[in-house]
């Protein structure tokens, strides 16, 4: 299992891992991580001591001790050690959430896709319990084994279940909004499905649309659309409807086959070429690509 360089802002994109990785850092004022496009997994931070700082379109949000911060897939990352006191001791974990988890990501939003939950209002025993669960999850990720990953994911789910309030039933208007958008997206995967285009379709401002969309689907619009495209591509490849990676990419709205292949592997864990029907032309194409790389 290959681990990412934690000081490389793009390192998380290139890593190969089964489910999750985690760690604990004690960083001084020169520490800052920026990933403008976020990642295809979730990032969960917990401040243990000192002070962190999150930068986002709505402003800066401090991360004092016992504060959780969750970046959902596709949400930009920009976090750093606060200038004062100049030390940030924090735990972190990157994880790929199962499809049943997004309803648990209902903490208050600092900006679309960025959720902050201060634990200070909770009793000290509760805060200690959350810390213990987080630290144990990180310890298990260091084992780099399927069993360790499964146990760590169990502990993370425990954190979300303890910290997320009971869901409220969606209003008929919210349900209609979600169903209308879901049908529109799945029927137009080759079309422009940017935040701006979807906001126009719903007659909302982009910021208001992104906020409402994330509340309804549990993912930012870009991350949800990309996941739909990649899942449709997987089904088409498995069904034998696409003979090449390029064809699969174009049929679901990707303009770059290389980008499509990277995103596909990030989500599904295997390259799309591995699912193509085995025939002589495909074998020769794969051999030529191997020689070039």
């Amino acid at each position: 299992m290959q681990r990412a360089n934690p000081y490389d802002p793009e390192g998380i994109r290139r890593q190969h891992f089964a489910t999750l990785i985690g760690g604990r850092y004690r960083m001084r004022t020169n520490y800052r991580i920026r990933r403008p496009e976020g990642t295809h997994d979730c990032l969960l931070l917990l401040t243990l001591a000192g002070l962190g700082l999150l930068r986002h379109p709505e402003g800066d949000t401090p991360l004092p001790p016992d504060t959780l911060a969750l970046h959902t897939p596709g949400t930009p990352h920009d976090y750093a050690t606060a200038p004062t006191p100049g030390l940030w001791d924090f735990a972190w974990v990157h994880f790929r959430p199962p499809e049943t988890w997004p309803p648990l990501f209902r903490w208050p939003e600092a900006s679309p896709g960025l959720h902050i939950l201060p634990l200070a209002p909770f009793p000290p025993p509760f805060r200690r319990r959350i810390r213990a669960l987080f630290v144990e999850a990180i310890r298990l990720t260091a084992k780099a084994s399927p069993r360790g990953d499964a146990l760590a994911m169990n502990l993370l789910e425990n954190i979300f279940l303890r910290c997320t309030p009971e869901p409220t039933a969606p209003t008929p208007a919210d349900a209609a909004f979600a169903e209308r958008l879901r049908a529109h997206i799945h029927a137009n995967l080759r079309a422009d499905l940017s935040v701006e285009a979807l906001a126009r379709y719903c007659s909302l401002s982009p910021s208001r649309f992104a906020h409402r969309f994330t509340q309804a689907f549990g993912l930012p619009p870009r991350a949800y659309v990309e996941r739909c495209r990649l899942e449709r591509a997987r089904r088409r490849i498995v069904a034998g409807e696409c003979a090449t990676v390029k064809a699969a990419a174009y049929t679901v709205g990707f303009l770059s086959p290389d980008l499509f292949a990277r995103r596909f592997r990030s989500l599904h864990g295997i390259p799309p070429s591995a699912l193509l029907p085995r025939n002589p032309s495909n074998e020769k194409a794969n051999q030529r690509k191997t020689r070039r790389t």
Side-chain angles (χ1 to χ4, degrees), residues 147-192:
R147 179 178 174 83
D149 283 359
L151 291 170
M153 288 295 285
N154 183 270
L155 294 177
L156 287 180
E157 184 177 29
N158 197 323
I159 290 173
F160 284 110
L161 288 170
R162 289 171 180 269
C163 295
T164 303
E166 290 291 334
T168 56
T171 65
D174 291 336
F177 170 83
E179 185 55 36
R180 178 189 177 204
L181 263 178
R182 185 178 292 107
H184 176 73
I185 290 170
H186 283 276
N188 297 278
L189 288 177
R190 297 184 64 181
D192 178 9

Side-chain angles (χ1 to χ4, degrees), residues 217-229:
F217 290 89
L219 289 172
R222 183 176 59 183
Y224 179 84
V225 167
E226 186 167 281
R227 182 168 293 186
C228 290
R229 283 172 166 160

Side-chain angles (χ1 to χ4, degrees), residues 110-134:
S111 67
L114 176 57
H115 303 261
I116 309 293
L117 183 67
L119 299 178
F122 295 89
F126 181 87
R127 300 201 300 269
R128 289 195 294 268
R129 179 59 176 162
I130 297 302
R131 279 189 175 218
L133 290 170
F134 207 122

Side-chain angles (χ1 to χ4, degrees), residues 45-47 61-70 107-109 115-123 126-127 130 163:
L45 306 171
L46 172 63
T47 298
T61 300
L63 295 179
D66 290 329
T67 301
L68 289 160
L70 172 68
W107 301 344
E109 279 191 316
H115 303 261
I116 309 293
L117 183 67
L119 299 178
F122 295 89
F126 181 87
R127 300 201 300 269
I130 297 302
C163 295

